[in-house]
Each structure stands twice: as C-alpha cells, then as structure tokens.
Amino acid sequence: MRTQVDSPVRERVMRAAISLFAAKGFATTSIREIADAAGVTKGGVYHYFESKDDLLFEVHTRMLRMQTSRMHTIADDDTPLPDRLHAIIADVVETTIANLDEAVVFFQSVHLLAADRQAQVRAERRAYHSRVRDLVAEGQASGVFRGDVPADLVVHYHFGAIHRLGLWYHADGPMTAEQVGVYFADMTLASLRP
Amino acid sequence: MRTQVDSPVRERVMRAAISLFAAKGFATTSIREIADAAGVTKGGVYHYFESKDDLLFEVHTRMLRMQTSRMHTIADDDTPLPDRLHAIIADVVETTIANLDEAVVFFQSVHLLAADRQAQVRAERRAYHSRVRDLVAEGQASGVFRGDVPADLVVHYHFGAIHRLGLWYHADGPMTAEQVGVYFADMTLASLRP
Amino acid sequence: MRTQVDSPVRERVMRAAISLFAAKGFATTSIREIADAAGVTKGGVYHYFESKDDLLFEVHTRMLRMQTSRMHTIADDDTPLPDRLHAIIADVVETTIANLDEAVVFFQSVHLLAADRQAQVRAERRAYHSRVRDLVAEGQASGVFRGDVPADLVVHYHFGAIHRLGLWYHADGPMTAEQVGVYFADMTLASLRP
Amino acid sequence: MRTQVDSPVRERVMRAAISLFAAKGFATTSIREIADAAGVTKGGVYHYFESKDDLLFEVHTRMLRMQTSRMHTIADDDTPLPDRLHAIIADVVETTIANLDEAVVFFQSVHLLAADRQAQVRAERRAYHSRVRDLVAEGQASGVFRGDVPADLVVHYHFGAIHRLGLWYHADGPMTAEQVGVYFADMTLASLRP
DNA sequence: AATGAATGAGGCTTCATTCAT
DNA sequence: CATGAATGAAGCCTCATTCAT
C-alpha cells in the first residue's frame, strides 16, 4: 500500500508541479494542469501525493534540506569568518539559480502551506536565519565586520536580495550563476567592511 | 455614475481587500471575505469595483504612482549623486513600511494580474528600475561608485532586499521605518564604495 | 447576506432532499440529484444551505423540535398516567406517519451527521427517552404498570417499534395513521398491565 | 478458483467490513478502510470478493439463512403455539445480540444492495414475516391471542422493536442477551393476551 | 495469492459574476 | 445605492474497480 517515493512517474508529477507553481502561482495552478503536464490522470497525481498541499510541502522540504545542510557545512569550516560568509552567499545563490523554479515557489508560497506545515517550515527557516546572523554577529564582535548595523537586519537585507533572484534572473541572460554568486557575495562583504 | 473615488465605503472595501490579500494571498481571498471584512454585501463590492482583478490592479497603480513619482522627484534633485541614491533608498523603504500591506501585495502578486494590466505594471516597474540603474551607472562612470559590478545587478540586489521588507518587518519591532531606511541606504552605498 | 429561512425555493430544496434521503439514503443521494429534483442548480442549493450536512441536520432538528414539544405537552397533562402514555404513543405514531419521509431519515441517519451535531441530536433524543422512561417508572412505582421489566427496556422496546414505522407503512395501505396509533398505544399499554 | 470460504484472510476481511459497515454505514465505508482494518491491500479484498456489494450481500445472506432456519425450526415444533412464539422471539433477540454488528447492517442497509439482490433479500424477509404472521393469526383464530389487532401489524410492531436492538444494546450494559430475549418475548405475549 | 499502479467517474464545495428589484 | 438570488464553471478530492506482474 506504501507508494514508491522515487518512482519516475512521481518525479514527473513533481517536476510539472514545480514548474507550474513557479510560472502561475500555487493557488492558480490546478491539479488537472499538473496531471496534463505530467502526462498522468488526475487520479494518478493522487496516487503519489495525498493532496495539493503535499506537493507544495515537498518543494519546501527539498529546498530547506538542501540549503540548510550546505550552509551548515560551510559555516562549520575552519576558514576565516569572512571567507565563510562569502562562500555561503555564493553557494546559496548558485543553488538557488540551479533550482530556480523550486526557489521561486519556496520563497513566494510559504503562506499558502497548510497551517501546521507552514509553522514547521517557518521554524526551520528561522533557524537558518539565526545561524547566519550568529556568523555576522561573531564577525562584528571580533571587529572584522562593522558593528553599527543590527546583525538581524544585515541578514534580512542580503538574503532578501537572494530571495528575489528567481524573479529576474534568466539562464539565457548575460551572467552565469557563478558570476552572480560572486557579485552578491562581494557586495555583502563590501557593505560589512568596518 | 461612478461613485466618488474617496467614498468612505469604497475606501473601506479597498482597505479590507489589501489587508486580506496581504495576509492570505490574492487568489485565496474571496470577494465574500472582502465584503464581510468591509461590512458590505458582495453586491456592494461590485458596486464600487468591476471585478476582483480591479481591486488588485488598483493596489498596483496606487503604489506605482506614489513610489515612481517620489523616486523621480528625488532623482531630479541637484544634490550629489550618492546623496540622491541614498535618499531614494531611504524614502522607498519608509513608504514601503508605511504601506506595508499594500507593499506585500504589490511585490508578491503581479503575476496574478490580468494579462494586459500585468504587462502595463511590469513595464512601469521596468521604467522605475531603469531610472535607478542609470543613476548607478552614472556614478560608476564618474567614479563615485565602484565600476566592477553590473549596474543592473546592483539594482536588482538592493531593491530585492527592499521588496522583501514586508515579509519580516513588524511595526512593533525594535526599529522605526526611518532607522531601517537609513541602514538600508547605508549598506547600499557602502557596497558601492569604489 | 443573510438568507431567507422560509423562501419557497428553500423549502422546495428541503422537500426534495428529504424525499431523496428517505428513498435512497443520505450518503447515496447527491447534491445534483437534489438540485434537479428541486428545479434549481447545484449552486442554488448552496445558496440556501451551507453543506449537505446542513440539510440532514435540519431534518433532525425539525423532527426533534416537533416531537419533543408534543410529547412534553401531553406528558404535562393532568390526566391519569396510563392515558397520557397512551396519548403520547398514539400521537407520535400519527406525526411520524404524517411526516413519513422525514421520519425515515430521522430514525435511520443520525450516524451520518457531522460529529458535533450528531452528539447534539443524540443528547436531545436521550432527553426524550428519559422523559418517557420516567413516566413508565412512575407508573411502575404507583402500581398501575407491571414492575418486573426495566423501564428503560420498555421504552426501547415500544419506541423501537415506532422507529421502524417508515419502513413498512404505506399511506395507501389498509390502515389510517390514527388506527395504527391506537393499535400501537393499545399494545404498549396491554404489555404493561400488571 | 474461488478460495475456500473459511480462509482466515477472507474471514478477516468480512469481519472488518461488517464492523465498519455497522459503525459508519455501508456507503461511507471505503474498500481502502476495510483493507486497512483487515491488514490486507485493496487488491487483497478484490481477491476474495468481486465487489463492495458482494460484501454487503454476504452479510445479508448469512443473517437471513441463520435467522430463517432457526425460526422455522422452532415454529415447526409441536409445543403450544404461545410457547413457540415466545421461543422464536427470545431466540431471534439472542442471535441478534450475538451478532450485533451484522444485525445493525442487516436491518439498516437493505436499501443499499444492488437492485436484484435487494429484491431477493426483501422477498426472503417477507417470507420470514409471513410465517410469523401466520403463527399469530393462527393463535388469534384459536382464541389464545386477542383478535382485535391485525396480525401483520402485530408482527411489524414486535419485530420492529427487535430490529432496533443494535442501536441501543451494549454488551457491557446491565442486561444479558438472554434476559433481553425473555423480556421482549414476555412483552409480546402480554400484549397479545386476549 | 497478492500487489501496486492507474483510471475515470462522480462527489462536495467555492466562487466570481450577473441581474432584477 | 444596495441587495439577495441564482448561475455555471471549475476546483480538490475520493473511490470502486481493473490489470499487469
């Protein structure tokens, strides 16, 4: 009775959902559209996912898991703190661009998740934020970063910029993901110079 | 035939709509909910607005008109360019915070507008972006700003941060709108230092 | 925004629902069937009732209100107790037959009501049962009824018979409602003779 | 090809179905729920039963076969007629209580059977009713029962009471099945005294 | 003997909108 | 001005059933 979690059909449905959610918004996308795009019947979608909310939730957990783990890995390095912050930003920009549809959904649709899952996702996002803020605060305490700006606001500021990436970046534009990552990280560090 | 634009009832409906759109999303808010929140019947809503899309469109035109005109006023000043950029950012942050619900809707829901109006709003937004980008480029050309970062990306970056304001700022938090405005503007300029 | 509680259309919908619920069962009757039978669209049904459960609930409250109030009125008389019990039974049989469809639904579909309403209806039904049982117990205490049968069981027995009326009685059969009422009441009293 | 009728798995499925049908109603119970409750997959259910209706039908045939045969056995005795009627009632009450879930389904869900089978079950039930009615009529003709009440109505009355048993009797209540059987039978006979 | 995949029909409900009054 | 009635389309979801393995 348990359903394959990694069936190719399931993955096709998930892909179709992500792409449509990103393009037209979660609430405006119907299960029928997802089914059509995935080449399945509506019932087929429900064979692999219990509800529309499930689809949305899975986008969030995937992204959260990935980005959180990568960030922590870098943050735990023993390189100099500014290098770590730089690397974190460059990396999150790159993975965001590498999964642009997912990212759009992830950063625009938390408020459409069912209440309990929304709370869960928000909590994990706050944890992410906290970890980065602590890095900033640490740098401020040690003097490598300017200390006259609240660390929380610093994080909101620079990650806010990242969260909007999906709304303007295009793969066929003039910049690669890597370039954008470096630019972003550079600007962050520049604005933190004491 | 059309009622005066500032009829208190009309305004109440608009307010209710903005608040609900910001809280739960445009697509997830029903006319019924708006009517209830405004203390009107559904028919009442349709008396003042032709469609649900009308409500959304008006949020966008209000914000666009206001923010565009303020930005241009400042940009046209004859003070030094960095001061003008600083003022523009501080001001847009303040007006964004002063109209936080509207801003949330404005920055999150363009893609839900009817096609033609969406195109119109996007075009005006691009014009806003262009004007600011030209300011940055001008500064880069004259050497007051560092020139190694594409001006377009600079604008996307710093305005991206502003567009996320509504998702974390709270009026009862530790910072006033003015403070946030100055912090943001400071960080922008810091990151542009040659 | 409030809807007429006594609109003729509303009543037509209610009638159609009762008749269909009685004929094919609540769960097996679709809103579309009700709408068709009432000459309304599906949306029309929802204009007057919030949910399918609402329709079912209203059948229950109508019957409960009516039968409870009639029973209490008779029970409060100051005629001899056996006469009162006789009158109660004859009356409930008559009103049951007079509203046979409603009665069928009422006696067969409590378990399909939404949980909270089901609890409410069951509670009120228990109160009805209690009142009648107290009458029986009183008669047993005073010696006008035989005392060797638990009063609760007596009530379950004789009202059980009444609750099945709708499953066999036909208006075009050989007996009038009044006749059945008297027969039933006679048998009840006969079986209680000391 | 068909598996032995008493395969433990088959029986487990049947038990689960009966219990769920009794608790929530036939139409409201899904094959999925039955499968889960029986610890089988949906396919498993279909391995033993051709359709959902099959399950319901089997409940009916089981009960019918059992109760009809027991009733006839007693009715064919050569003991005095009132004793036979008393024994029939006491016995049907006991077997009803002994199979309470099945009884609930049996007495509440005929109308949900497929048309042809429903006709068949109803016919057999009528035959049961007829036989008992004939006993009553015989007693009335011979003067051991009062003759002023139609025999059909007498049977509807007293068996109606029995058919509601499942809706109030609880195994952990104050009365055993045997006690209830005797009480019921006593009341029936008392109400028939000339 | 048993299962997981897949389907297609249908169910309940919501909702933007129109309209007569 | 404003309302309640009414509609029709669409949405999410459930489910009995079939089938290949």
Side-chain angles (χ1 to χ4, degrees), chain A residues 28 107-108 157-158 161 164 188, chain B residues 107-108 157-158 161 164 188:
Chain A
T28 329
F107 293 125
Q108 305 274 332
Y157 187 86
H158 298 289
R164 298 289 288 188
T188 304
Chain B
F107 293 126
Q108 306 272 333
Y157 187 88
H158 297 290
R164 298 287 290 187
T188 304

Side-chain angles (χ1 to χ4, degrees), chain A residues 1 4 41-43 47-48:
Chain A
M1 223 104 198
Q4 294 281 109
T41 59
K42 257 188 308 175
H47 183 65
Y48 291 102

Side-chain angles (χ1 to χ4, degrees), chain A residues 72-94:
Chain A
H72 279 300
T73 303
I74 304 178
D76 290 341
D77 268 2
D78 49 8
T79 53
L81 198 147
D83 293 0
R84 277 182 280 153
L85 186 57
H86 192 282
I88 284 172
I89 302 228
D91 186 73
V92 73
V93 166
E94 283 183 49

Side-chain angles (χ1 to χ4, degrees), chain C residues 24 27-28 107-108 111-112 146 148-150 153 156-158 160-161 163-164 168 175 183-184 187-188 190-191, chain D residues 24 27-28 107-108 111-112 146 148-150 153 156-158 160-161 163-164 168 175 183-184 187-188 190-191:
Chain C
K24 350 181 342 184
T28 328
F107 293 126
Q108 305 273 334
H111 65 290
L112 297 176
R146 63 195 277 192
D148 61 338
V149 188
L153 180 132
H156 280 309
Y157 186 88
H158 297 289
H163 297 169
R164 298 288 289 188
W168 61 267
M175 289 173 284
Y183 283 137
F184 269 40
M187 276 191 284
T188 305
S191 78
Chain D
K24 339 181 353 181
T28 328
F107 292 126
Q108 305 273 331
H111 65 291
L112 297 176
R146 63 194 278 191
D148 60 340
V149 189
L153 181 133
H156 279 309
Y157 187 88
H158 298 289
H163 296 169
R164 298 290 288 186
W168 61 266
M175 288 173 287
Y183 282 136
F184 269 41
M187 276 192 284
T188 305
S191 78

Side-chain angles (χ1 to χ4, degrees), chain C residues 60-90:
Chain C
H60 281 82
T61 43
R62 282 191 189 193
M63 284 293 275
L64 264 177
R65 205 181 349 255
M66 186 216 358
Q67 297 204 330
T68 303
S69 103
R70 295 181 73 100
M71 182 271 286
H72 280 299
T73 303
I74 303 178
D76 289 342
D77 269 2
D78 50 6
T79 53
L81 198 148
D83 292 359
R84 277 183 280 152
L85 186 57
H86 192 282
I88 285 173
I89 302 227

Side-chain angles (χ1 to χ4, degrees), chain A residues 146-150 153-154 157-158 187-194, chain B residues 82-94 145-146 154 157-158 161-162 177-194:
Chain A
R146 64 192 281 192
D148 62 339
V149 188
L153 181 133
V154 166
Y157 187 86
H158 298 289
M187 277 191 285
T188 304
L189 288 201
S191 79
L192 282 177
R193 230 164 353 196
Chain B
D83 292 359
R84 277 182 281 151
L85 186 57
H86 191 283
I88 284 172
I89 303 229
D91 185 71
V92 74
V93 166
E94 284 182 51
F145 295 150
R146 63 193 281 190
V154 166
Y157 187 88
H158 297 290
I162 294 165
E178 207 193 333
Q179 288 172 320
V180 177
V182 172
Y183 282 136
F184 269 40
D186 282 356
M187 276 191 285
T188 304
L189 289 199
S191 78
L192 282 177
R193 233 167 349 197

